[in-house]
Amino acid sequence: MESSIFLDEVNERQGLFQRRAFLLGGLAGGGLVALGGRLIQLQLIESDRYQLLSEHNQFQFVLSPPPRGLILDREGVVLASNRPDFRLLLAKDDTMDVEAVLANLARLVNLDEAHLQRLKDEIDDAPRKAPVAIVEDMTWEEFSRVNVRAPELPGVTADMGEVRVYPFSGAFAHVIGYVAKVSAQDVTKTGPNADPIMLNPGFRIGKQGVEKAFDLDLRGKAGARKVEVDVKGRVVRQDPRGDIPPTPGAPIRLTLDADVQTRALEVFGEDSGAAVMMDCRSGDILCMLSAPSFDANQFVKGLTRGEYKALAEYDRKPLFNKALTATYPPGSTFKTMVSLAALGHGFDPGRVYVCNRAWSWGGRVWHCDKAHGALNMHDAIRQSCDIYFYQAALTVGPDAIAATARQFGLGEAHDIGIPGQKPGLVPDSDYKRRAFPRDPVWHAGETPSLGIGQGYVSVNALQLCVMASRLANGVTALRPRLVQSIGDVAQPSGAQAPVLTIPRAHIEFVQSAMAAVVASGTAAHYGDIGLGPVKMAGKTGTAQSHNYTGGGAGAHGAQGAWALRDHAWFIAFAPHDDPRYAMSVLVEHGGFGAEAAAPKAAQIMRVALLKDPQVRARITQPMPTGLPPQMSGSAAGGAGPGAPT
Amino acid sequence: MTASAISRPGERDRLIVKLGQIDWLLCLLLSAIAGIGAVMLYSIAGGSWSPWAGRHLILYGVCFALMIAMATVDLRVWFAMAYPVYGLGLLMLAAVAVVGHSTMGAQRWLDVGPIRIQPSEFIKVGLVMALARFYHGLSADRARWSWWLLIPAALIGAPAALVAHQPDLGTAVLIAATGGVMMILAGLSLRAVGVGLLAMGAGVPLAFAFVLKAYQRARLLTFLHPEADRSGAGYHIIQSEIALGSGGLLGKGLGLGTQSQLNFLPEKSTDFIFASMAEELGFLGCATVLALYAAVIVVTLRAAVISHSHFGRLSAAGVAITFALCVLINGAMVMGLAPVVGVPMPLLSFGGTVMITMMAGFALVLSVRVHRYSEVTSGKGAFV
């Protein structure tokens, strides 16, 4: 391959090369011009569109959960509020090794094995890119420790949320309920247009009581934060100017009184039961307690299986709202209704029956707990004589008794805004016809039981409190009211209600008999509230327990095993001569009503009375002069330890 | 320096004279591009010299010094080294196929002690030199159409096949195209060029169907409809177009490119550096850089045209072709006009081997220009 040295040969190759090199240069230039053209198209002509796309990439709107509305008592004491919550969110993507991240995390914060397992399940279930709250309620030290190590924990972000807190923990657990994490069912139940905030990590909705019933009011409306994110969705910067502030949830003011309610919880101690108190002029519910209770804050955090099991299996049923959901025979408290029905049918209250502890009628023997001798209706109520009321009931029959009882609020579910109420039952001949097709007739033999509040009749504690408050009011068929206002909207007062058709004189007769119950009757001493001239009126009741098969030893089955004893009732109002507060107290398996329930009613009633300035004025009037003036105002003397006992 | 002085015998071999003959305009253009690259790398690292900008500048400085030094090396030495360099490159490519280091599913790297070499880059210069060397001794008739052309075909085909096998389709196409264009420049009959283009038109669909791997097919198809696959292969193209388009006329400003700073842009420091730049510097910045590239190509081709030796002509033109193809392929890819292939933007992109290759190529170009009057004769070189 000798290199040619002929000039023409050289020139031929050179000429060809030069022509083609120019061509090549032209082609390259053309290519570059084409690129320039594309640049013009992208950067000059379509630039607006791409700027928009770039912003879509760069910015995201992150829902910011609204602060949940406060729940207040009638005086503005906070019953449910929010506190800051330092937490960690994990947003998973396809490339993430969840196990490794959690293992890394476990070295920085406290994560036990059970917690880790639950987290893995939650993360697996979470939709792609939806962050999961993996640790909540971190201490500030843990929070800052994780923040510093953030680069080693891809996909993990620390943020500050809010979490519900119930400062009274157990006292209001049944009424107010609690919030808990949104379950998959909660979302599907809401339908196709579920509030997107429900999917926010750590978001909680009301699951019980007021929190559930007024969830939408309390929840408010989610806002949005404009944030700059990187390709992994991590927030790089905030842009506060683009924020849409959330609308906070409306505060809900209840009619409950924190002092009365906490005192009621104290009074019950370990006992199981319920206490409901109403203002018998307005219908406001001041106290609605179910005991024993549970710490609602635990539910906010999420119970472990063991914790839940312990609560669910405890035989005093702390999770059960005994004020609304449980119905029991009203026992002797029902004698007030029988009395009014009889009086309405021309029964002479002076009529005397003789009680010999046993009474034969209809082919069987009816018992009383002792031989009361000859008594009229007033004394029969005072002494709670069963034999008197067997016969009084027979004179009017079930339908009249039922009609009276219904007028006093028994047998109906009262709309106080929260779910889970059982209506109970007020039986009459019509009920017999409907419920017992094979034996559709009310037999006379069934009436005596009704006369002492046993048999088919069943009530809940709220209904008995409504009955007591209507008895105490004497004029209006008061409606119970639990919610005073939602946001700025006041709820209708319970006093705007129909007038009772019972003659005022009949009610005053029963009222005075109830005053006698406490003064010298079955609740003497037990119902003493120790407030001088201000006294309580009441009526005891003992309801045979469903478990009680006659085997309970001793009077009223008060001595046997706890689960076999009778339920104790007490209804009351005070002051007896100028009623302001009415209440019902149930002590499950408490035995004799006077002994178990009346003292509790007295203790709880005292708090309400001492908070009432007018009642206080009556009590403090006879104080000798010269002593420093009593602290005025209501809250000071309330449930405090300094209150006279 | 006057022409008479240059024409004095022996004068041209003096180092000072050679340095004077170096095309400082080309050096300036290259430095400008590398400098813009460094600025961009500094910016997309969030205003930091690490991890890219500092190393980019240092490497460029070292390469620049070496380039000047190599530019003074007599063209006959380059001529003599052509086949050995090519042979070494081919050997390394073969070695990569056997013991190469694999990243992202492709074997492209060779570990030599502490250094990691990418032979597919090395062979680019080797091929240019080897083809120039071969055609230097081939008559115009034989270069037009003869059995002799099987030799350059083999010289091109062997490395292209090995690189395609890695698989690195982009570089394989680049190597084949560079070789092909050099054959045309060397005087391949236009009829043969036409037939070759027709054959390619027929062969590409076949290759597409039977030779390519699934991910390569996906990449190729995706650039036509990037919206069809937003999270996969189309993602790169879409994000790159967004970066370009959102830059507008003047750009978002240095350090303010959200697409690159927030990592929406893939491979922002290497293959997609042009998109990062387009976002932050806008159309004006892009047009400036494209003009710089065009100037480099023109200056390089001019060096080829004025060379008195065929080896010099073809090797300088070969470097220009490689460079131009890199720019065009990368530009088209970034702008959504071509499939996403791993071809970097010369001197702008971060990446050691590519920079070394390119600078070695321009050392050859400078040498061709410095020694443009040198007669290069086969077999009578300085070493052989």
Side-chain angles (χ1 to χ4, degrees), chain A residues 431-470:
Chain A
Y431 161 76
K432 240 352 251 289
R433 211 168 22 251
R434 278 184 286 113
F436 296 87
R438 282 200 257 163
D439 181 21
V441 181
W442 183 280
H443 301 287
E446 291 168 319
T447 308
S449 294
L450 183 64
I452 60 162
Q454 307 286 356
Y456 303 122
V457 60
S458 70
V459 298
N460 65 32
L462 172 68
Q463 288 166 340
L464 272 197
C465 184
V466 170
M467 181 183 92
S469 65
R470 289 180 185 178

Short mmCIF file of all heavy atoms in Angstrom, two decimals, chain A residues 431-470:
data_model
loop_
_atom_site.label_atom_id
_atom_site.label_comp_id
_atom_site.label_asym_id
_atom_site.label_seq_id
_atom_site.Cartn_x
_atom_site.Cartn_y
_atom_site.Cartn_z
N TYR A 431 -99.81 -3.23 74.24
CA TYR A 431 -98.52 -3.89 74.11
C TYR A 431 -98.68 -5.40 74.18
O TYR A 431 -98.08 -6.14 73.41
CB TYR A 431 -97.58 -3.41 75.23
CG TYR A 431 -96.41 -4.32 75.48
CD1 TYR A 431 -95.31 -4.34 74.61
CD2 TYR A 431 -96.41 -5.21 76.56
CE1 TYR A 431 -94.25 -5.19 74.84
CE2 TYR A 431 -95.35 -6.06 76.78
CZ TYR A 431 -94.27 -6.06 75.92
OH TYR A 431 -93.23 -6.91 76.13
N LYS A 432 -99.49 -5.84 75.11
CA LYS A 432 -99.73 -7.27 75.26
C LYS A 432 -100.25 -7.86 73.94
O LYS A 432 -99.83 -8.92 73.49
CB LYS A 432 -100.78 -7.49 76.35
CG LYS A 432 -100.52 -8.30 77.63
CD LYS A 432 -99.30 -9.05 77.82
CE LYS A 432 -99.40 -10.57 77.76
NZ LYS A 432 -100.03 -11.26 78.81
N ARG A 433 -101.16 -7.10 73.32
CA ARG A 433 -101.77 -7.57 72.08
C ARG A 433 -100.72 -7.71 70.96
O ARG A 433 -100.69 -8.65 70.22
CB ARG A 433 -102.87 -6.58 71.65
CG ARG A 433 -104.00 -7.25 70.90
CD ARG A 433 -105.25 -6.41 70.68
NE ARG A 433 -105.14 -4.98 70.74
CZ ARG A 433 -105.64 -4.24 71.74
NH1 ARG A 433 -106.23 -4.81 72.78
NH2 ARG A 433 -105.53 -2.94 71.71
N ARG A 434 -99.85 -6.72 70.90
CA ARG A 434 -98.86 -6.74 69.83
C ARG A 434 -97.75 -7.75 70.09
O ARG A 434 -97.32 -8.46 69.19
CB ARG A 434 -98.24 -5.34 69.68
CG ARG A 434 -99.11 -4.39 68.84
CD ARG A 434 -98.41 -3.05 68.64
NE ARG A 434 -98.44 -2.25 69.87
CZ ARG A 434 -97.37 -1.95 70.59
NH1 ARG A 434 -96.18 -2.38 70.20
NH2 ARG A 434 -97.48 -1.23 71.69
N ALA A 435 -97.30 -7.80 71.34
CA ALA A 435 -96.09 -8.56 71.61
C ALA A 435 -96.35 -10.03 71.88
O ALA A 435 -95.45 -10.85 71.76
CB ALA A 435 -95.35 -7.93 72.78
N PHE A 436 -97.55 -10.35 72.29
CA PHE A 436 -97.82 -11.75 72.63
C PHE A 436 -99.01 -12.26 71.83
O PHE A 436 -100.11 -12.39 72.36
CB PHE A 436 -98.09 -11.91 74.14
CG PHE A 436 -96.92 -11.56 74.99
CD1 PHE A 436 -96.69 -10.25 75.40
CD2 PHE A 436 -96.02 -12.55 75.40
CE1 PHE A 436 -95.61 -9.93 76.18
CE2 PHE A 436 -94.93 -12.22 76.19
CZ PHE A 436 -94.72 -10.91 76.58
N PRO A 437 -98.82 -12.55 70.57
CA PRO A 437 -99.96 -12.96 69.74
C PRO A 437 -100.66 -14.21 70.28
O PRO A 437 -101.85 -14.40 70.05
CB PRO A 437 -99.32 -13.25 68.38
CG PRO A 437 -97.90 -12.87 68.48
CD PRO A 437 -97.55 -12.58 69.88
N ARG A 438 -99.92 -15.05 71.02
CA ARG A 438 -100.57 -16.27 71.51
C ARG A 438 -101.32 -16.04 72.81
O ARG A 438 -102.12 -16.87 73.22
CB ARG A 438 -99.50 -17.36 71.71
CG ARG A 438 -99.12 -17.99 70.39
CD ARG A 438 -98.48 -19.34 70.58
NE ARG A 438 -97.05 -19.26 70.43
CZ ARG A 438 -96.22 -20.20 70.86
NH1 ARG A 438 -96.67 -21.25 71.50
NH2 ARG A 438 -94.94 -20.07 70.64
N ASP A 439 -101.02 -14.93 73.47
CA ASP A 439 -101.72 -14.59 74.72
C ASP A 439 -101.93 -13.10 74.73
O ASP A 439 -101.32 -12.37 75.48
CB ASP A 439 -100.85 -15.04 75.91
CG ASP A 439 -101.54 -14.74 77.24
OD1 ASP A 439 -102.77 -14.57 77.24
OD2 ASP A 439 -100.82 -14.64 78.25
N PRO A 440 -102.81 -12.61 73.85
CA PRO A 440 -102.87 -11.17 73.59
C PRO A 440 -103.66 -10.38 74.62
O PRO A 440 -103.97 -9.22 74.38
CB PRO A 440 -103.55 -11.10 72.21
CG PRO A 440 -104.38 -12.34 72.13
CD PRO A 440 -103.79 -13.37 73.04
N VAL A 441 -104.01 -10.96 75.74
CA VAL A 441 -104.87 -10.26 76.70
C VAL A 441 -104.06 -9.89 77.93
O VAL A 441 -103.23 -10.65 78.40
CB VAL A 441 -106.06 -11.17 77.12
CG1 VAL A 441 -106.97 -10.45 78.10
CG2 VAL A 441 -106.82 -11.62 75.89
N TRP A 442 -104.24 -8.66 78.39
CA TRP A 442 -103.62 -8.26 79.66
C TRP A 442 -104.42 -8.88 80.78
O TRP A 442 -105.60 -8.60 80.95
CB TRP A 442 -103.60 -6.75 79.79
CG TRP A 442 -102.92 -6.29 81.05
CD1 TRP A 442 -103.47 -6.26 82.31
CD2 TRP A 442 -101.60 -5.83 81.19
NE1 TRP A 442 -102.57 -5.83 83.22
CE2 TRP A 442 -101.37 -5.54 82.55
CE3 TRP A 442 -100.54 -5.64 80.29
CZ2 TRP A 442 -100.17 -5.07 83.05
CZ3 TRP A 442 -99.36 -5.15 80.81
CH2 TRP A 442 -99.17 -4.87 82.16
N HIS A 443 -103.78 -9.76 81.55
CA HIS A 443 -104.47 -10.39 82.66
C HIS A 443 -104.37 -9.50 83.88
O HIS A 443 -103.35 -8.86 84.11
CB HIS A 443 -103.84 -11.75 82.96
CG HIS A 443 -103.88 -12.67 81.78
ND1 HIS A 443 -105.04 -13.27 81.34
CD2 HIS A 443 -102.91 -13.05 80.92
CE1 HIS A 443 -104.77 -13.99 80.26
NE2 HIS A 443 -103.48 -13.88 79.98
N ALA A 444 -105.44 -9.50 84.64
CA ALA A 444 -105.45 -8.69 85.87
C ALA A 444 -104.28 -9.06 86.76
O ALA A 444 -103.71 -8.22 87.45
CB ALA A 444 -106.77 -8.86 86.59
N GLY A 445 -103.88 -10.30 86.73
CA GLY A 445 -102.79 -10.77 87.57
C GLY A 445 -101.46 -10.14 87.23
O GLY A 445 -100.49 -10.26 87.97
N GLU A 446 -101.40 -9.49 86.07
CA GLU A 446 -100.14 -8.85 85.69
C GLU A 446 -100.06 -7.41 86.21
O GLU A 446 -99.00 -6.81 86.20
CB GLU A 446 -100.00 -8.85 84.17
CG GLU A 446 -99.79 -10.25 83.61
CD GLU A 446 -99.93 -10.32 82.09
OE1 GLU A 446 -100.84 -9.68 81.53
OE2 GLU A 446 -99.13 -11.03 81.48
N THR A 447 -101.21 -6.90 86.65
CA THR A 447 -101.24 -5.50 87.06
C THR A 447 -100.50 -5.24 88.37
O THR A 447 -99.76 -4.25 88.46
CB THR A 447 -102.70 -5.01 87.16
OG1 THR A 447 -103.34 -5.33 85.92
CG2 THR A 447 -102.77 -3.52 87.39
N PRO A 448 -100.65 -6.09 89.42
CA PRO A 448 -99.95 -5.77 90.68
C PRO A 448 -98.45 -5.58 90.49
O PRO A 448 -97.87 -4.65 91.07
CB PRO A 448 -100.26 -6.99 91.55
CG PRO A 448 -101.55 -7.49 91.04
CD PRO A 448 -101.51 -7.27 89.55
N SER A 449 -97.80 -6.41 89.67
CA SER A 449 -96.37 -6.25 89.43
C SER A 449 -96.06 -4.87 88.86
O SER A 449 -95.11 -4.21 89.25
CB SER A 449 -95.87 -7.30 88.43
OG SER A 449 -95.98 -8.56 88.99
N LEU A 450 -96.91 -4.47 87.87
CA LEU A 450 -96.72 -3.15 87.26
C LEU A 450 -96.82 -2.06 88.33
O LEU A 450 -96.10 -1.06 88.28
CB LEU A 450 -97.77 -2.94 86.17
CG LEU A 450 -97.68 -1.64 85.38
CD1 LEU A 450 -96.38 -1.59 84.59
CD2 LEU A 450 -98.87 -1.48 84.45
N GLY A 451 -97.71 -2.30 89.33
CA GLY A 451 -97.92 -1.32 90.39
C GLY A 451 -96.65 -1.04 91.18
O GLY A 451 -96.50 0.05 91.76
N ILE A 452 -95.75 -2.00 91.23
CA ILE A 452 -94.50 -1.74 91.96
C ILE A 452 -93.31 -1.66 91.01
O ILE A 452 -92.15 -1.82 91.40
CB ILE A 452 -94.25 -2.81 93.04
CG1 ILE A 452 -94.14 -4.21 92.40
CG2 ILE A 452 -95.37 -2.78 94.08
CD1 ILE A 452 -93.49 -5.24 93.31
N GLY A 453 -93.61 -1.42 89.73
CA GLY A 453 -92.53 -1.18 88.77
C GLY A 453 -91.72 -2.40 88.41
O GLY A 453 -90.53 -2.29 88.11
N GLN A 454 -92.35 -3.56 88.44
CA GLN A 454 -91.66 -4.77 88.00
C GLN A 454 -92.41 -5.34 86.81
O GLN A 454 -93.39 -4.77 86.35
CB GLN A 454 -91.61 -5.80 89.14
CG GLN A 454 -91.03 -5.29 90.44
CD GLN A 454 -89.51 -5.11 90.39
OE1 GLN A 454 -88.86 -5.44 89.40
NE2 GLN A 454 -88.96 -4.55 91.45
N GLY A 455 -91.96 -6.47 86.34
CA GLY A 455 -92.64 -7.09 85.20
C GLY A 455 -92.06 -6.59 83.90
O GLY A 455 -90.85 -6.49 83.74
N TYR A 456 -92.97 -6.26 82.99
CA TYR A 456 -92.50 -5.87 81.66
C TYR A 456 -91.81 -4.51 81.63
O TYR A 456 -91.02 -4.22 80.76
CB TYR A 456 -93.67 -5.82 80.67
CG TYR A 456 -94.46 -7.10 80.56
CD1 TYR A 456 -95.83 -7.13 80.83
CD2 TYR A 456 -93.83 -8.28 80.15
CE1 TYR A 456 -96.56 -8.28 80.71
CE2 TYR A 456 -94.56 -9.45 80.04
CZ TYR A 456 -95.93 -9.46 80.32
OH TYR A 456 -96.64 -10.60 80.19
N VAL A 457 -92.19 -3.65 82.55
CA VAL A 457 -91.77 -2.26 82.45
C VAL A 457 -90.25 -2.15 82.60
O VAL A 457 -89.64 -2.80 83.44
CB VAL A 457 -92.50 -1.39 83.49
CG1 VAL A 457 -92.21 -1.88 84.90
CG2 VAL A 457 -92.14 0.07 83.33
N SER A 458 -89.66 -1.33 81.71
CA SER A 458 -88.22 -1.11 81.83
C SER A 458 -87.92 0.32 81.42
O SER A 458 -88.56 0.89 80.54
CB SER A 458 -87.44 -2.11 80.99
OG SER A 458 -87.61 -1.84 79.62
N VAL A 459 -86.92 0.88 82.07
CA VAL A 459 -86.57 2.28 81.84
C VAL A 459 -85.05 2.40 81.88
O VAL A 459 -84.36 1.52 82.38
CB VAL A 459 -87.16 3.19 82.93
CG1 VAL A 459 -88.67 3.12 82.93
CG2 VAL A 459 -86.59 2.84 84.30
N ASN A 460 -84.57 3.53 81.35
CA ASN A 460 -83.15 3.81 81.56
C ASN A 460 -83.01 4.99 82.51
O ASN A 460 -84.00 5.64 82.87
CB ASN A 460 -82.41 4.03 80.23
CG ASN A 460 -82.88 5.27 79.49
OD1 ASN A 460 -83.28 6.26 80.10
ND2 ASN A 460 -82.82 5.22 78.17
N ALA A 461 -81.79 5.25 82.90
CA ALA A 461 -81.56 6.25 83.94
C ALA A 461 -81.97 7.64 83.47
O ALA A 461 -82.49 8.44 84.25
CB ALA A 461 -80.09 6.25 84.35
N LEU A 462 -81.76 7.94 82.17
CA LEU A 462 -82.15 9.25 81.66
C LEU A 462 -83.66 9.43 81.77
O LEU A 462 -84.15 10.47 82.20
CB LEU A 462 -81.69 9.42 80.21
CG LEU A 462 -82.21 10.68 79.54
CD1 LEU A 462 -81.58 11.92 80.18
CD2 LEU A 462 -81.93 10.67 78.04
N GLN A 463 -84.39 8.37 81.39
CA GLN A 463 -85.85 8.48 81.44
C GLN A 463 -86.34 8.72 82.87
O GLN A 463 -87.24 9.54 83.10
CB GLN A 463 -86.50 7.21 80.89
CG GLN A 463 -86.34 7.09 79.38
CD GLN A 463 -86.68 5.70 78.90
OE1 GLN A 463 -86.67 4.74 79.66
NE2 GLN A 463 -86.97 5.58 77.62
N LEU A 464 -85.75 8.01 83.83
CA LEU A 464 -86.18 8.22 85.21
C LEU A 464 -85.84 9.63 85.67
O LEU A 464 -86.58 10.23 86.45
CB LEU A 464 -85.52 7.19 86.14
CG LEU A 464 -86.28 5.87 86.29
CD1 LEU A 464 -85.77 5.12 87.52
CD2 LEU A 464 -87.79 6.08 86.42
N CYS A 465 -84.73 10.18 85.15
CA CYS A 465 -84.37 11.54 85.52
C CYS A 465 -85.37 12.52 84.90
O CYS A 465 -85.79 13.50 85.54
CB CYS A 465 -82.97 11.86 85.09
SG CYS A 465 -82.42 13.48 85.61
N VAL A 466 -85.78 12.23 83.65
CA VAL A 466 -86.80 13.07 83.01
C VAL A 466 -88.09 13.01 83.82
O VAL A 466 -88.73 14.03 84.10
CB VAL A 466 -87.04 12.62 81.55
CG1 VAL A 466 -88.26 13.30 80.97
CG2 VAL A 466 -85.80 12.89 80.71
N MET A 467 -88.43 11.79 84.26
CA MET A 467 -89.64 11.63 85.06
C MET A 467 -89.53 12.45 86.34
O MET A 467 -90.46 13.19 86.70
CB MET A 467 -89.83 10.14 85.38
CG MET A 467 -91.06 9.84 86.19
SD MET A 467 -91.18 8.08 86.61
CE MET A 467 -90.34 8.05 88.18
N ALA A 468 -88.39 12.35 87.00
CA ALA A 468 -88.19 13.09 88.25
C ALA A 468 -88.26 14.59 88.02
O ALA A 468 -88.85 15.33 88.81
CB ALA A 468 -86.85 12.70 88.87
N SER A 469 -87.66 15.03 86.90
CA SER A 469 -87.65 16.48 86.68
C SER A 469 -89.03 16.99 86.31
O SER A 469 -89.40 18.11 86.67
CB SER A 469 -86.62 16.84 85.62
OG SER A 469 -87.00 16.29 84.38
N ARG A 470 -89.82 16.18 85.59
CA ARG A 470 -91.19 16.61 85.29
C ARG A 470 -92.04 16.62 86.55
O ARG A 470 -92.89 17.50 86.75
CB ARG A 470 -91.81 15.72 84.21
CG ARG A 470 -91.18 15.97 82.84
CD ARG A 470 -91.77 15.11 81.75
NE ARG A 470 -91.02 15.34 80.50
CZ ARG A 470 -91.27 14.69 79.35
NH1 ARG A 470 -92.24 13.79 79.29
NH2 ARG A 470 -90.56 14.95 78.29
#
